[in-house]
């Protein structure tokens, strides 16, 4: 079953992973077929937007979400202090989860208050709102390995319903044993997109129009971009790379054609079809 489509525009992108610290770097690496990424070093983000006290408290998961959120808003040119947000993750901050489980298994069950308050799934969105002085609503979507598609649908729905921009942020960090038995996440990846209602974007703004719809039935997923299979398969939100790759392609590039399909839950997916835009390749 296919539900009615939503007309959206993608106006901003943020990205951080091994060898890539922005969407601009992604576009540059795409031209060479991403040949050097696997051998690159992962550099943890250090978002300058976080106040010093919060920066000391924040772990990798929080820094990743805050960094790509600011990147996407700057590319889109939307006010950071007013844009609603949707965050998603398959597992949340697994580094904090591992710490808490190990400490609670000890005779003296003492936890760091800072790590404890960072253990909730919406910790990154909370730090984002502090860094941007943003009091707008923030939603967290968790659907395990289908979290990216489920969160994308939520963000697009909010953008269409609210007639305004919505920030969508998806992050997962590499896991360590024994959590690898739950989800073997081998690479850290964070991505953010600003979504707006298609007919609400001014003519002088950069955007890429898209049609988004929800489908139930047999799952069909879109292959990862050539050269990025190793990265896409190593993180639950790896399909964000497929969307970034389509956004980086020119309108005449055959690789931009066709529907993108992202799992969004058991026997359902989100389909996205890019329909052209303006100024995106600048």
């Amino acid at each position: 079953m296919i539900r009615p489509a939503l007309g959206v525009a993608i106006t901003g992108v943020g990205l951080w992973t091994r060898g890539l610290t922005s969407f601009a770097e992604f576009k540059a690496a795409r031209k060479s077929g991403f040949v050097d990424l696997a051998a690159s070093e992962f550099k943890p983000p250090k978002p300058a937007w976080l106040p010093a006290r919060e920066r000391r408290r924040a772990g990798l998961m929080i820094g990743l979400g805050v960094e790509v959120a600011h990147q996407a808003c700057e590319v889109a040119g939307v006010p950071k202090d007013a844009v609603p947000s949707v965050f998603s993750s398959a597992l949340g901050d697994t580094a904090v989860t591992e710490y808490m489980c190990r400490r609670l298994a000890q005779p003296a069950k003492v936890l760091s208050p800072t790590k404890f308050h960072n253990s909730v799934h919406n910790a990154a969105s909370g730090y984002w709102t502090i860094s941007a002085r943003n009091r707008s609503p923030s939603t967290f979507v968790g659907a395990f390995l289908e979290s990216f598609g489920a969160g994308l649908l939520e963000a697009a729905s909010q953008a269409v319903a609210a007639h305004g921009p919505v920030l969508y942020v998806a992050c997962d960090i590499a896991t360590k044993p024994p959590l690898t038995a739950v989800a073997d996440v081998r690479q850290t990846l964070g991505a953010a997109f600003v979504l707006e209602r298609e007919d609400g974007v001014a003519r002088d703004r950069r955007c890429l129009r898209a049609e988004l719809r929800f489908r139930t039935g047999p799952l069909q997923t879109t292959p990862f971009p050539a050269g990025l299979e190793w990265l896409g398969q190593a993180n639950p939100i790896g399909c964000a790379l497929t969307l970034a790759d389509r956004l980086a392609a020119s309108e005449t590039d055959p690789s931009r054609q066709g529907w993108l399909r992202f799992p969004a839950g058991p026997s359902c997916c989100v389909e996205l079809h890019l329909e052209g835009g303006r100024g995106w390749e600048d």
Side-chain angles (χ1 to χ4, degrees):
M1 179 183 294
I2 301 176
R3 304 298 173 86
L6 302 174
V8 297
I10 302 172
T11 57
V13 186
L15 189 67
W16 194 288
T17 188
R18 177 179 295 277
L20 297 172
T21 62
S22 67
F23 183 57
E25 290 186 6
F26 180 93
K27 291 191 291 184
R30 186 179 188 272
K31 296 178 181 178
S32 62
F34 306 106
V35 292
D36 298 324
L37 288 190
S40 300
E41 178 185 359
F42 176 80
K43 298 179 180 179
K46 298 179 180 179
W49 301 278
L50 274 174
R53 183 175 64 176
E54 278 69 32
R55 194 161 53 245
R56 288 193 298 269
R57 294 175 174 177
L60 174 57
M61 182 73 170
I62 291 171
L64 193 64
V66 171
E67 174 66 34
V68 296
H70 278 277
Q71 288 184 14
C73 288
E74 291 189 345
V75 171
V78 298
K80 297 178 182 179
D81 61 350
V83 60
S85 59
V86 174
F87 280 67
S88 77
S89 173
L91 298 170
D93 195 330
T94 51
V96 175
T97 301
E98 181 194 16
Y99 158 83
M100 292 177 60
C101 290
R102 291 189 183 279
R103 291 303 296 265
L104 292 174
Q106 301 300 316
K109 297 173 173 48
V110 180
L111 294 175
S112 159
T114 297
K115 290 185 180 296
F116 178 75
H117 92 254
N118 285 348
S119 68
V120 295
H121 268 37
N122 62 346
S125 65
Y127 278 78
W128 148 251
T129 60
I130 292 171
S131 70
R133 298 183 178 182
N134 184 309
R135 296 187 178 184
S136 298
S138 185
T139 305
F140 185 90
V141 175
F144 196 40
L145 301 182
E146 291 80 33
S147 293
F148 181 79
L152 182 63
L153 178 62
E154 174 67 22
S157 301
Q158 287 193 23
V160 171
H163 294 265
V166 172
L167 168 68
Y168 176 45
V169 181
C171 301
D172 270 301
I173 62 175
T175 56
K176 299 178 181 179
L179 289 179
T180 51
V182 178
D184 187 11
V185 183
R186 299 179 299 281
Q187 300 292 336
T188 296
L189 173 62
F193 304 89
V194 175
L195 306 175
E196 304 189 40
R197 184 171 173 140
E198 182 183 12
D199 58 8
V201 180
R203 291 184 176 275
D204 60 344
R205 289 185 60 207
R206 168 171 45 189
C207 75
L208 203 152
R209 298 185 303 276
E211 181 180 344
L212 184 146
R213 66 190 187 189
F214 179 72
R215 174 195 285 270
T216 58
L219 293 182
Q220 293 179 314
T221 57
T222 304
F224 295 111
L228 285 183
E229 296 90 348
W230 63 274
L231 180 56
Q233 295 168 359
N235 192 293
I237 67 159
C239 48
L241 299 170
T242 308
L243 177 54
D245 186 68
R246 290 285 182 93
L247 295 174
S250 67
E251 288 193 55
T252 58
D253 191 330
S255 65
R256 179 177 281 189
Q257 308 306 313
W259 287 87
L260 291 168
R261 294 179 175 87
F262 307 129
S267 300
C268 63
C269 69
V270 170
E271 297 184 322
L272 189 71
H273 188 272
L274 304 181
E275 301 182 325
R278 53 181 179 269
W280 195 258
E281 300 163 43
D282 297 345

